[in-house]
């Protein structure tokens, strides 16, 4: 008896290979990606930063696997309701059917696990070398197999397969034989136009778009609003595809010049009666397409803009920020002595005082003792700046200019280097008149690495300004910065020099003399490695998740074509018998698929356009200042995805036509 069930399960999979093979292939790819991400996350070579981010990717893939495999399984079960009903009528009770389903699920699970883990193990080393090249860690020799990743993959996909089996059994157990027999033949009535649902969908979509635009003025609000905007857009997309698509099809039907043509008449009427079930699939394709575009374009932007971001954050090979009179005096002597030993190095030092500024682009620029007290949340940040106040003499020394300012004049530069265009600058009780500077002044270093936008204020009476602020605030806000470029030293030599002379030499001096004060020492090479590790891991995760989302969209498209092909097969057979020619059938099929198929892509493009402001604001908070980079990455990603989408359309349209052309 068991051999009969096994043979029956094998025959069922073979008979339904058109549905089972894509399901198994996507399951194998999902399991392989999960294994690779888990293997990399637990590999000690990748470092703590990359490992933490890869663990986040593991969680995302885990959630995606559960949702996606359950979704595709629901399609398989829907297509086989009639088959299970026939088994029941022929004498198999539901326990026997459950045994067949269990064996089919077991076979599919074994194929997915064996294929996924095998593919993951084969590709793991290649992906490991790719990630090593992206983030720059040292490659270890040998072939690495992660036993822990194998176990975790077995557990995850084993549990998913078991839950799918329970879900399938529950569906069959609760259904009556007559319901199963009629499951594939239950027609739909013409759906009503749901005005309220369409209005609610438009309102949700409009609210999400508005939130993206309005919250893009400040990074904190953008971060807090992003997921709310995403949920509104997703909800609005589902509602509009469900209600709006029906309304559009009914409008096309009212257009007699369009509707009463053979290809349009058949396609519009067919889609209208099935739109209730098709709308969810189309919305899923749209959401997944949007996720692909957002994920890949944003991570590519961070990677391609990373070099400029690092140069802005670390303008010199070594930078030291020192705070406090005692430590400044000691470090100044230490630094000058060290630089005298290396005449090939170039260096400079300068002072500034950091304040929080109340800012109105067209009004005032105000710094007082209480200006930072209102910053108690991530909202309202656009009204504040992180400002470095420096003396005029130092500005001239840095830029090589000879600018002169009156006693009550000042120059203020915003984050992009442009001048402040307001009418007044207030600094601890004194009002300055803004002066147009001779050229822009790009802001770099620690002051630029802040969730607040940065600014630089140049004044002629710096010492007098210091005398107007309290000693405690002066101690906490005033800094002396030392910058050194280490000539022709290689990256490894720079890192070794920094570790020996500054981390060790300076720390030993401080420990021996018990110097009070604060300091921060930075080496561009060391921090560059951490930054590339972070942005490289972002890029790898973006590509990996983009691949999974694309695969999910393709499979939904493929299953949608199969489902509609099976539904339309009998209809087209009848229409051919009453005179519909092959060419007319092809034109009708082309019109039907084209009318709806590219709707998700167009909608995803609209989503990306409106998501651009909020995503760009979040990327600015991550120090990506080059808007052009994000625009180019987004445009290229959309074009490439659209071409791929068109190829998938062409291939799946052939599958649909082949199904409806088959003889019963």
């Amino acid at each position: 008896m068991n051999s009969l069930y096994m043979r029956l399960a094998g025959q069922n999979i073979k008979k339904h290979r058109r549905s089972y093979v894509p399901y198994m292939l996507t399951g194998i790819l999902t399991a392989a990606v999960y294994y690779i991400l888990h293997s990399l996350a637990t590999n000690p070579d990748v470092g703590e930063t990359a490992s933490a981010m890869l663990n986040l990717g593991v969680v995302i893939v885990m959630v995606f696997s559960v949702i996606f495999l359950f979704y595709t399984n629901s399609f398989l079960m829907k297509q086989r309701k009639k088959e299970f009903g026939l088994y029941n009528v022929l004498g198999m009770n539901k326990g026997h059917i459950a045994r067949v389903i269990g064996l089919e699920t077991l076979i599919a699970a074994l194929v997915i696990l064996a294929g996924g883990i095998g593919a993951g193990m084969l590709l793991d080393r290649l992906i490991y070398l790719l990630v090593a090249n992206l983030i720059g860690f040292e490659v270890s020799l040998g072939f690495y197999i992660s036993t822990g990743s194998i176990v975790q993959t077995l557990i995850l996909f084993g549990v998913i397969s078991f839950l799918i089996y329970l879900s399938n059994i529950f569906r069959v157990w609760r259904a009556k034989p007559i319901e199963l027999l009629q499951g594939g033949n239950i027609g739909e009535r013409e759906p009503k136009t749901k005005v309220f649902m369409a209005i609610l969908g438009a309102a949700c979509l409009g609210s999400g778009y508005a939130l993206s635009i309005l919250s893009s003025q400040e990074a904190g609000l953008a971060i807090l609003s992003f997921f709310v905007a995403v949920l509104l857009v997703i909800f609005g997309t589902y509602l509009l595809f469900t209600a709006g698509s029906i309304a559009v099809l009914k409008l096309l039907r009212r257009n007699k010049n369009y509707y009463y043509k053979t290809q349009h008449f058949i396609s519009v009427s067919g889609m209208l009666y099935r739109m209730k079930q098709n709308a969810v699939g189309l919305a899923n394709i749209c959401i997944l397409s949007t996720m692909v575009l957002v994920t890949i374009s944003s991570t590519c932007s961070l990677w391609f803009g990373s070099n400029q971001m690092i140069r802005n954050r670390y303008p010199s090979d070594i930078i030291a920020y020192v705070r406090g009179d005692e430590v400044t005096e000691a470090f100044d002597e230490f630094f000058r002595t060290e630089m005298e030993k290396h005449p090939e190095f170039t260096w400079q030092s300068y002072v500034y005082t950091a304040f929080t500024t109340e800012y109105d682009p067209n009004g005032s620029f105000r710094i007082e003792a209480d200006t930072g007290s209102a910053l108690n949340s991530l909202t309202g940040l656009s009204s504040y700046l992180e400002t470095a106040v420096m003396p005029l003499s130092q500005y001239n020394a840095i830029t090589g200019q000879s600018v002169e300012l009156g006693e009550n004049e000042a120059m203020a530069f915003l984050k992009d280097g442009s001048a402040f265009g307001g009418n007044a600058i207030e600094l601890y009780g004194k009002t300055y008149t803004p002066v147009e500077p001779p050229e822009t002044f790009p802001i770099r270093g620690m002051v630029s690495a802040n969730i607040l936008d940065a600014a630089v204020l140049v004044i002629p009476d710096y010492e007098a300004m210091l005398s107007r602020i309290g000693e405690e605030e002066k101690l906490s806000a005033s800094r002396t910065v030392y910058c050194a470029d280490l000539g022709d030293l290689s990256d490894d030599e720079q890192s070794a020099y920094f570790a020996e002379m500054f981390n060790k030499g300076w720390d030993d001096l401080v420990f021996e003399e018990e110097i009070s004060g604060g300091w921060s020492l930075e080496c561009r090479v060391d921090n560059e490695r951490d930054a590339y590790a972070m942005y490289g891991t972002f890029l790898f995760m973006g590509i990996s998740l983009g691949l999974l989302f694309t695969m999910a969209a393709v499979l939904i498209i493929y299953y949608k074509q199969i489902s509609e092909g099976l539904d339309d097969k009998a209809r087209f057979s009848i229409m051919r018998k009453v005179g519909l020619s092959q060419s007319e059938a092809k034109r009708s099929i082309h019109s039907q698929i084209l009318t709806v198929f590219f709707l998700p892509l167009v909608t995803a493009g609209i989503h990306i356009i409106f998501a651009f402001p909020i995503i760009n604001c979040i990327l600015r908070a991550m120090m990506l200042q080059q808007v052009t980079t994000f625009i180019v990455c987004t445009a290229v990603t959309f074009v490439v995805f659209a071409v791929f989408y068109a190829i998938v359309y062409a291939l799946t349209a052939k599958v649909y036509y082949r199904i409806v052309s088959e003889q019963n």
Side-chain angles (χ1 to χ4, degrees), residues 437-457:
E439 60 183 47
T440 60
F441 183 64
I443 301 173
R444 298 177 178 176
M446 184 181 288
V447 71
S448 67
N450 197 298
I451 195 169
L452 296 177
D453 281 345
V456 169
L457 177 61

Side-chain angles (χ1 to χ4, degrees), residues 57-121:
V58 168
V59 175
I60 294 173
V61 174
M62 184 187 302
V63 175
F64 171 83
S65 301
V66 175
I67 296 172
F68 179 61
L69 291 177
F70 264 89
Y71 181 88
T72 51
N73 174 75
S74 67
F75 168 83
L76 293 174
M77 290 299 296
K78 179 183 176 183
Q79 297 301 313
R80 301 186 60 195
K81 281 185 177 181
K82 187 174 181 179
E83 177 185 344
F84 293 138
L86 186 60
Y87 286 157
N88 209 188
V89 170
L90 293 176
M92 292 179 66
N93 60 37
K94 291 182 178 180
H96 297 148
I97 297 174
R99 191 175 298 183
V100 174
I101 293 175
L103 290 173
E104 291 177 8
T105 305
L106 178 63
I107 293 171
L110 291 175
V111 171
I112 289 172
L113 285 168
I117 294 174
M121 291 170 62

Side-chain angles (χ1 to χ4, degrees), residues 235-527:
F235 193 53
T237 300
Y238 278 107
L239 290 176
L240 278 182
F241 267 94
T242 301
S245 56
I246 294 172
V248 170
L249 288 171
K250 287 189 175 182
L251 287 175
L252 291 176
R253 190 175 62 178
R254 291 175 186 172
N255 185 345
K256 296 182 179 180
N257 293 329
Y258 176 88
Y259 183 63
Y260 288 107
K261 293 181 180 178
T262 305
Q263 66 270 28
H264 297 157
F265 176 83
I266 297 172
S267 61
V268 171
S269 59
M271 289 186 294
L272 182 59
Y273 279 81
R274 289 199 309 271
M275 189 48 68
K276 187 188 296 184
Q277 66 186 39
N278 285 349
V280 175
L282 292 172
N284 287 333
I285 295 169
C286 176
I287 296 301
L288 286 168
S289 300
T290 306
M291 291 167 67
V292 171
L293 296 172
V294 169
T295 303
I296 295 180
S297 62
S298 57
T299 54
C300 284
S301 300
L302 287 172
W303 172 252
F304 289 115
S306 59
N307 185 61
Q308 187 60 45
M309 287 189 284
I310 291 168
R311 293 293 167 180
N312 287 339
R313 176 61 181 85
Y314 306 102
S316 298
D317 294 333
I318 289 177
I319 310 174
Y321 298 88
V322 187
R323 175 171 50 83
D325 293 338
E326 184 180 356
V327 71
T328 301
E329 182 180 351
F331 188 85
D332 187 81
E333 181 181 353
F334 170 82
F335 186 81
R336 291 176 184 275
T337 302
E338 189 60 39
M339 291 299 104
E340 288 173 0
K341 299 176 184 177
H342 300 277
E344 71 276 16
F345 295 170
T346 57
W347 67 278
Q348 64 176 335
S349 65
Y350 58 90
V351 297
Y352 74 88
T353 306
F355 297 106
T356 299
T357 304
E358 285 185 4
Y359 168 65
D360 179 357
N362 300 313
S364 62
F365 189 100
R366 177 178 173 270
I367 301 174
E368 296 291 346
D370 61 343
T371 50
S373 59
L375 283 175
N376 54 9
S377 69
L378 287 176
T379 58
L381 299 183
S382 60
S383 301
Y384 296 89
L385 300 173
E386 180 71 14
T387 303
V389 180
M390 66 169 56
L392 174 62
S393 58
Q394 184 173 280
Y395 169 82
N396 286 331
I398 294 173
T399 61
Q401 300 178 32
S402 55
V403 176
E404 295 183 358
L405 293 174
E407 182 180 352
N408 297 320
E409 293 179 335
M411 295 186 298
F413 300 90
L414 304 179
K415 190 168 187 177
D416 60 357
S418 62
F420 167 64
N423 51 37
I425 297 174
E426 298 178 31
L427 178 58
Y428 276 86
K430 182 174 180 178
T431 301
Y432 296 84
T433 301
V435 174
E436 186 71 23
E439 60 183 47
T440 60
F441 183 64
I443 301 173
R444 298 177 178 176
M446 184 181 288
V447 71
S448 67
N450 197 298
I451 195 169
L452 296 177
D453 281 345
V456 169
L457 177 61
V458 180
I459 58 175
D461 54 345
Y462 184 77
E463 295 298 329
M465 182 275 296
L466 292 178
S467 67
R468 296 198 300 271
I469 66 177
E471 284 298 321
E472 184 177 345
E473 188 167 3
K474 176 182 174 181
L475 179 63
S476 63
S478 297
R479 290 165 177 76
T480 304
V481 184
Y482 297 84
C483 304
D485 289 310
L486 305 184
D488 297 329
L489 293 184
S490 66
D491 288 354
D492 290 339
E493 290 171 339
Q494 288 186 29
S495 182
Y497 173 79
F498 178 78
E500 178 66 25
M501 301 311 300
F502 285 86
N503 280 350
K504 188 175 185 301
W506 170 247
D507 287 349
D508 289 347
L509 179 64
V510 172
F511 180 76
E512 291 174 3
E513 300 188 10
E514 298 183 356
I515 301 172
S516 62
W519 62 88
S520 173
L521 307 177
E522 298 177 342
C523 176
R524 179 167 59 195
V525 170
D526 292 345
N527 289 283

Side-chain angles (χ1 to χ4, degrees), residues 162-179:
F162 180 69
L163 293 176
I164 286 175
Y165 168 69
L166 293 180
S167 172
N168 293 341
I169 295 305
F170 179 73
R171 291 183 185 187
V172 173
W173 208 271
R174 63 181 295 205
K176 298 177 181 179
I178 191 65
E179 293 176 350

